[in-house]
Amino acid sequence: MLASGSPPDGRRGVAPAPAAPSPPPSGLSADDVAQRVAAGLTNHTTARTSRTTSEILRANVFTVFNGLLVTLFVVVMLTGQWQNGLFGAVVVANSAIGILQELRAKRTLDRLAVLHAPLARVVRDGAELEIPVAAVVLDDLLGLATGDQVPADGVVTESTGLSVDESLLTGEAEPVAKVAGDRLWSGSFVVAGRGRMQATAVGESAYAARLATEARRFTTVHSELVAGTDRLLRWIAIGLAVVGPLVLWSQFRSPDNPGWREAVTGTVAALVGMIPEGLVLLTTLAFLLATVALARRQTLVQELPAVEGLARVDVVCLDKTGTLTHGDVGFDRLELLSGAAEEAVAGALGTIASADPANATATALASVFPAPARSPESTVPFSSARKWSAVRTGGHTWVLGAPEMVLPAPTGADQAGARNRADELAAQGRRVLLLASAAGAPGTADDPRLPEDVRPAALVLLAERLREDAADVLRYFTAEGVALKVISGDNPRTVGAVAAAVGVPGVTGAGDAVDARELPEDADAMAEVVGSASVFGRVTPHQKRAMVTALQRRGHVVAMTGDGVNDALALKDADIGVAMGNGSPATRAVAQLVLLDGRFAHLPDAVAEGRRVIANIERAANLFLVKNVYALVLALISIVTLGAYPLAPIQLTLISTLTIGVPGFFLALAPNHRRYVPGFLRRVLRFSLPTGLITGAAAYAGYATARWLAPDTGVEGARTTATLVVLVVGLWTVVVLARPMAAWKVALVATMAGAAAGVFAVPALAEGVFLLDVSTEVVLLAVVPGVVAALLVEAVSRIGGALPAEPAPAAGSAPAVSRA
C-alpha cells in the first residue's frame, strides 16, 4: 500500500507542495478567488481538442501551391484571356471548403469537450457550489463524496471514512484510507466515505497535469497517408522547379506561339497541370468528416491522422480496469461452510452491507441482500488496513473480510478447510471474502479486535463487472487478425481470470497470466516474453511503456487503451492512444482517441472509419497523380519538340473537374470495407506512373494527328482533340479506380461523361468558355488514341497496378459508420 504522503508512482524528485494555511470552514471569499484568478492560480490547463481559428485559416490559405496558383493566375490574367484564369477558383474553393469543414469539426469537437467537462464542489463564502474543474483556484476548500474524482492535488482537512482509489495513478485496485493531513492526488477517485480537502496544487502544477505535460512532449501520430502525400508534394515541387523554366523557354521559342500571350498561356497550363491542387484538401476533408462521424458515436478524435492510424494497428494493448471491466465489483455467489444456514448468512450480509454502506463491497452486497428491519447493536466499519468489518446483533457477532485477515492462523478442521478453500479460489483469480460468526464482541469502532471464537460460515465470491461489449469487441479484433495484450497493474491471477472471461485468445484461466515483476530487464528478452504471452499483471507504468516499445521494435503498430494516469506515458508512446472518457485527465490529454462514454464497442467504428479513409484517399491520390504525370509528359514533349503545350489552362480545368475533382470527392467519402494493406505510396506510383504516361502519350498523339491531318484547325483544333482524348482516358481511369462498381458509381461516371458531352455540344460553352474548336473532324481524330489508351489503362490495372480488392462487408466485420 502507498504511503499517503508520497508521490503515487513512487517517482523521486516530485516533492509535495508546501502546506498552505488551513482555510476557514466557510472556504475562500469572493475577493480571495478574484485575487487568485488574477494571478493565474486556477485549475485551467492548456490541453485542447482542435486547432485555433487562426491556425485553421493559416493552414488552409497560406500553402506553397496556393501561392504558386495565385501567381500563375495573376500572370495569365495579364494575357487578357479570362477563361484561362478560372483555375484560380480552385484556390478559393480549396481554401473555403477546407476552412468551413474544419471550423465545423472544431465546433463539434469543442462542444463535446465542454459537455464532458467535469464539475467540482467548492466551499466559498460558506456555501457549497458546483463549478467547472477549470475554475478551481489554489487554496479552495473542496467537498468530496463517494464517486468524485479529485480535481487537484491537496491535503485532507476532514475525513469521515474517506477512502480513495488511486489505481488511475498506480494501477493498484486496492483503495487507500485517508485521514486529515494526508495528501490527495489529482486523478484519484473517492470510493468510500466523504470529506473535504484544500487545493495545494492546481492547473499545470498538479500531479496529473505534470505527468500529462511530460507525456505530450514530442507526440506525433504517424500517418502513412500524410507521409506519402508529403513525399509526393516534395517530388512535384522539385519537378516544377526543374521543368518550369524549361517550359517557359520552350514556349517562347515555339513557332506555334505567335506572341508572348500564347507563350505565357502554354507555360501556365503546363505548371497548373503539375500541381495537385485538391489532393491535400481531399485528404484533410476525409479525415475531418470521419472525425465528425465518430464524434456522433461518442468518440473524440484529438489528432486527425489517428483515424487512419487505428486501421493500421495489428496489436492492441488493453488495460483491465475501466477497459475490460467497469472498475467496480458485483456479487457472484455464496459457498456455505460448516453447515451454516443460508437464511442466517443472507441476513448477516444484509446487516453488514446496510451498517457500512460507504464502500464498494457493501454496495455490491446491498444490491442482493436486503437490510433487515432490526439495526445492529454495534458496528466496526471496514478499514483497508485491517481488511474486515463486523456487526453485533442479537448478542451475536458477524465478521466479513479477507480470509487471511479473519483467519490469520487457522485452528481446527473448520477453520483450516475454510482457509484452504478460500486460498484455492483466490489462486483462480477470484475475489473472496470470508463471513464468520462469533459469540464474542468485536470491540468498538475506536478499538476494533477480532473475537477469539470465530467460526467460518460462508465464502462470499465477488467478481469485477465485465463490460457488456468487451467480449464482442475482442472477437472482432481477433477475427481481423489483431493480437491482444492485456496489461494491468492488478494481481496477475485476477487479470488472467478477467481475460479468460472476456475471451482473450490463448487464455484459459488465471494461471496463464504473467507476473510482470518477473519480466527481464533486457529489452530483447522482454520483447520475446511480450510477444509470446497475452496477459500481464503487476505491471508498473514504466513497464507498460517498455512493453509498448518492445512490440514496436518488432515491427508492430500498437494501440494502447487505458483510463489511468499510470497509463499516460504508454499511451503517449503507442502509435495510437485510446483513453476512456471517464478516465483521468492525463490520459485524455495524451490520447489520440477518447471514448467519451467509455464504451469499448466504439473501437470497431474507428477502425472502419480508418479503413474507409485509407482506401478512398488512395483512390483520390491515384487520380491526382495521373494528372500530374501526364501534365509532366506533355511538358517534356513540348520542351523537346518546341511545340505549343497541347492543352490550354481552361481545358485542364475542365478535365480536372470532370475526371479528378468531382469523382475524387465522392470516391474519397464513399463506404469502403477494404482491410489496411501496407505500401500506399508504392501502389499509387505503380498505377499512376504508367497510366499517366499512357494518357500523356495518347493526348500528344491526338494533338499531333490533328496538326497533321487537319492543319486548317490550327492549335485550337488540335487542343480540342487532345482534350477529348484525355477526357475519355480520364473517365475510364475513374471506372477502374471505382471498382467494384455500384449503381451510384455508374451514375457518377455517366454524369461526368454527360457534362463533358454537354460542353462539346453547346457552342457558347465550347468556344466561348473552354476555347474549344469543335468539328466532326477533330472529334473523330480523338477516337483511336482515346480508345487505345483506355484499353492500355485497363491492361495496367489487370496486370497488378490497380487497387487491392475491396470486399463486401462480411459477418462479424465492423459496423457501418455513418458519414458526416
Side-chain angles (χ1 to χ4, degrees):
M1 185 178 298
L2 292 168
S4 60
S6 61
D9 64 350
R11 294 187 306 163
R12 298 185 181 275
V14 184
S22 297
S26 60
L28 298 178
S29 67
D31 289 340
D32 294 332
V33 173
Q35 290 173 7
R36 285 161 174 77
V37 170
L41 301 176
T42 70
N43 211 29
H44 176 74
T45 60
T46 56
R48 61 183 185 179
T49 60
S50 59
R51 294 195 287 191
T52 64
T53 301
S54 61
E55 288 173 340
I56 292 171
L57 292 174
R58 286 197 302 270
N60 285 278
V61 174
F62 299 106
T63 69
V64 173
F65 289 120
N66 274 1
L68 181 55
L69 285 171
V70 168
T71 302
L72 295 176
F73 171 78
V74 172
V75 170
V76 83
M77 291 304 291
L78 295 176
T79 67
Q81 289 186 311
W82 63 269
Q83 301 97 325
N84 282 323
L86 286 181
F87 67 84
V90 173
V91 179
V92 178
N94 280 356
S95 299
I97 293 173
I99 290 169
L100 291 175
Q101 288 292 348
E102 189 164 355
L103 287 176
R104 177 190 174 198
K106 173 182 169 60
R107 285 195 299 270
T108 300
L109 301 181
D110 289 349
R111 184 166 57 249
L112 280 171
V114 170
L115 288 175
H116 289 81
L119 299 175
R121 286 190 301 277
V122 298
V123 180
R124 291 178 179 174
D125 290 321
E128 189 167 275
L129 311 170
E130 278 199 345
I131 63 172
V133 166
V136 171
V137 300
L138 188 68
D139 299 326
D140 250 332
L141 190 62
L142 299 163
L144 300 174
T146 302
D148 288 347
Q149 186 174 26
V150 179
D153 294 352
V155 177
V156 178
T157 59
E158 299 177 23
S159 173
T160 304
L162 188 66
S163 186
V164 175
D165 178 359
E166 295 181 337
S167 62
L168 289 177
L169 309 177
T170 66
E172 287 283 356
E174 293 296 326
V176 180
K178 297 288 183 178
V179 298
D182 283 349
R183 294 301 309 268
L184 286 174
W185 304 93
S186 53
S188 54
F189 277 95
V190 178
V191 295
R194 56 187 173 82
R196 286 184 174 179
M197 64 170 283
Q198 179 189 7
T200 58
V202 294
E204 303 292 353
S205 299
Y207 172 76
R210 291 200 308 272
L211 186 59
T213 300
E214 177 184 343
R216 278 198 299 266
R217 290 175 188 163
F218 310 116
T219 296
T220 57
V221 177
H222 172 71
S223 165
E224 186 180 5
L225 290 181
V226 173
T229 301
D230 286 344
R231 288 179 66 185
L232 287 175
L233 295 179
R234 286 196 296 270
W235 293 342
I236 290 169
I238 293 172
L240 285 169
V242 173
V243 175
L246 296 176
V247 172
L248 181 64
W249 170 80
S250 69
Q251 292 304 292
F252 273 94
R253 293 289 305 274
S254 174
D256 294 335
N257 295 323
W260 70 269
R261 289 179 174 83
E262 291 76 12
V264 167
T265 298
T267 303
V268 169
L271 297 181
V272 168
M274 294 170 61
I275 297 174
E277 62 270 9
L279 180 56
V280 175
L281 169 68
L282 269 184
T283 303
T284 304
L285 191 58
F287 281 146
L288 283 172
L289 296 185
T291 297
V292 173
L294 288 174
R296 291 172 178 164
R297 292 174 177 259
Q298 296 296 299
T299 301
L300 180 63
V301 180
Q302 304 200 106
E303 295 182 46
L304 291 183
V307 176
E308 170 215 334
L310 194 56
R312 295 187 288 109
V313 165
D314 59 2
V315 176
V316 175
C317 296
L318 309 162
D319 185 36
K320 174 184 68 68
T321 305
T323 302
L324 299 180
T325 68
H326 286 281
D328 56 7
V329 295
F331 173 76
D332 185 10
R333 60 187 173 89
L334 279 178
E335 283 195 13
L336 299 178
L337 301 171
S338 306
E342 184 173 355
E343 183 177 353
V345 167
L349 292 174
T351 302
I352 291 173
S354 62
D356 185 21
N359 68 73
T361 299
T363 301
L365 294 176
S367 65
V368 179
F369 302 102
R374 184 176 179 180
S375 299
E377 299 160 12
S378 64
T379 300
V380 176
F382 176 81
S383 163
S384 59
R386 61 176 177 271
K387 295 187 178 181
W388 59 266
S389 62
V391 295
R392 186 164 179 83
T393 177
H396 195 78
T397 297
W398 292 97
V399 180
L400 179 67
E404 67 273 16
M405 302 303 286
V406 177
L407 297 176
T411 60
D414 289 346
Q415 288 192 1
R419 179 65 186 274
N420 289 338
R421 178 58 178 160
D423 291 346
E424 179 184 337
L425 291 170
Q428 298 173 9
R430 305 276 189 168
R431 293 183 181 270
V432 186
L433 297 177
L434 174 66
L435 177 69
S437 64
T444 65
D446 295 329
D447 183 24
R449 59 184 180 276
L450 280 171
E452 295 181 357
D453 56 341
V454 170
R455 295 184 302 277
L459 294 176
V460 182
L461 276 72
L462 303 174
E464 290 194 73
R465 286 197 307 126
L466 302 178
R467 289 188 175 272
E468 297 76 8
D469 50 19
D472 290 338
V473 176
L474 296 191
R475 277 195 296 272
Y476 166 77
F477 280 119
T478 301
E480 296 297 315
V482 177
L484 302 171
K485 307 288 180 183
V486 181
I487 302 175
S488 173
D490 214 340
N491 184 289
R493 290 192 170 275
T494 301
V495 181
V498 169
V502 296
V504 175
V507 181
T508 58
D512 292 328
V514 176
D515 191 330
R517 291 172 295 187
E518 300 173 0
L519 285 175
E521 292 290 334
D522 179 73
D524 292 332
M526 176 183 281
E528 188 69 29
V529 177
V530 175
S532 59
S534 298
V535 182
F536 303 85
R538 299 294 185 204
V539 185
T540 67
H542 169 75
Q543 285 178 313
K544 287 187 178 185
R545 194 177 194 182
M547 292 165 82
V548 168
T549 302
L551 289 167
Q552 290 171 326
R553 288 179 60 185
R554 291 200 155 201
H556 294 292
V557 180
V558 181
M560 174 78 191
T561 71
D563 63 348
V565 174
N566 64 306
D567 301 319
L569 296 180
L571 261 67
K572 176 252 182 182
D573 283 356
D575 296 282
I576 298 295
V578 182
M580 297 297 166
N582 55 355
S584 73
T587 54
R588 295 198 302 270
V590 302
Q592 286 81 40
L593 297 177
V594 180
L595 307 181
L596 293 172
D597 57 4
R599 288 189 60 205
F600 195 31
H602 293 314
L603 275 184
D605 298 333
V607 171
E609 278 296 329
R611 287 178 173 176
R612 188 181 63 78
V613 167
I614 288 177
N616 289 340
I617 291 301
E618 187 170 331
R619 285 173 167 166
N622 273 296
L623 289 175
F624 280 99
L625 197 57
V626 164
K627 186 197 80 165
N628 300 143
V629 172
Y630 70 67
L632 175 61
V633 169
L634 293 176
L636 293 176
I637 292 174
S638 299
I639 293 171
V640 173
T641 63
L642 294 182
Y645 191 78
L647 296 169
I650 185 59
Q651 293 156 4
L652 271 171
T653 300
L654 173 66
I655 293 167
S656 295
T657 301
L658 298 183
T659 67
I660 300 169
V662 175
F665 178 84
F666 282 99
L667 291 176
L669 304 180
N672 198 317
H673 303 279
R674 194 192 84 195
R675 286 191 184 184
Y676 167 70
V677 182
F680 157 74
L681 184 57
R682 183 179 64 253
R683 281 195 306 278
V684 168
L685 293 174
R686 193 172 62 206
F687 176 79
S688 59
L689 286 178
T691 301
L693 288 171
I694 292 168
T695 306
Y700 186 76
Y703 176 86
T705 301
R707 292 287 283 155
W708 175 39
L709 297 179
D712 294 342
T713 62
V715 172
E716 290 75 14
R719 282 177 170 168
T720 302
T721 300
T723 300
L724 189 53
V725 169
V726 178
L727 282 170
V728 169
V729 183
L731 288 172
W732 190 255
T733 302
V734 172
V735 171
V736 169
L737 293 174
R739 292 170 182 161
M741 296 300 290
W744 71 267
K745 294 178 183 177
V746 173
L748 173 64
V749 175
T751 301
M752 297 300 98
V759 167
F760 275 77
V762 178
L765 289 175
E767 299 173 11
V769 177
F770 294 102
L771 306 180
L772 299 170
D773 185 4
V774 181
S775 65
T776 303
E777 192 174 12
V778 297
V779 170
L780 290 176
L781 289 174
V783 172
V784 173
V787 171
V788 170
L791 292 174
L792 290 174
V793 170
E794 180 68 25
V796 167
S797 69
R798 291 180 182 274
I799 290 171
L803 298 172
E806 175 193 344
S813 64
V817 181
S818 59
R819 298 195 307 280

